[in-house]
Amino acid sequence: MDAEGGPQVTGPALDALRHVVDYSARLQAVLQKSDWSGVVRLAETLRDCWVSRRQVFLCGNGGSAGNAIHLANDFIYGISKRHGSGLRAMAMV
């Protein structure tokens, strides 16, 4: 048992745990240093499109086409609280 009363992690499981902890710390550092202003501008633009009922076109090729379709569907249905109130979005695939 470890100091907290849980099972002791050894061998390959300990190596995997160290890898996950290290990866998590590096990912957190990158996210904290990132410039999120582009995300804010995108959110504001999408909100403006929603308010003014303008249409948003998404595109993708290959697997990204699937992402575009899924995102368009989420904008149309997933964000609306009532039928027909979502963002007007279309996937161009």
Side-chain angles (χ1 to χ4, degrees):
M1 298 251 171
D2 68 6
E4 296 172 357
Q8 186 172 354
V9 180
T10 60
L14 180 59
D15 292 339
L17 179 61
R18 286 180 178 149
H19 177 74
V20 168
V21 169
D22 179 58
Y23 175 78
S24 298
R26 287 183 289 125
L27 179 59
Q28 184 177 12
V30 167
L31 292 173
Q32 287 177 343
K33 293 176 187 175
S34 295
D35 176 12
W36 294 97
S37 60
V39 176
V40 172
R41 284 192 315 273
L42 175 62
E44 290 169 348
T45 300
L46 289 172
R47 184 180 186 285
D48 290 343
C49 288
W50 176 67
V51 168
S52 63
R53 300 298 296 157
R54 288 180 291 161
Q55 191 156 7
V56 173
F57 295 94
L58 304 159
C59 61
N61 187 29
S64 296
N67 293 343
I69 292 167
H70 185 84
L71 187 56
N73 186 61
D74 285 348
F75 283 155
I76 294 168
Y77 302 107
I79 65 171
S80 63
K81 292 186 178 184
R82 59 182 170 76
H83 182 72
S85 66
L87 182 64
R88 294 179 60 218
M90 177 181 288
M92 308 295 288
V93 295

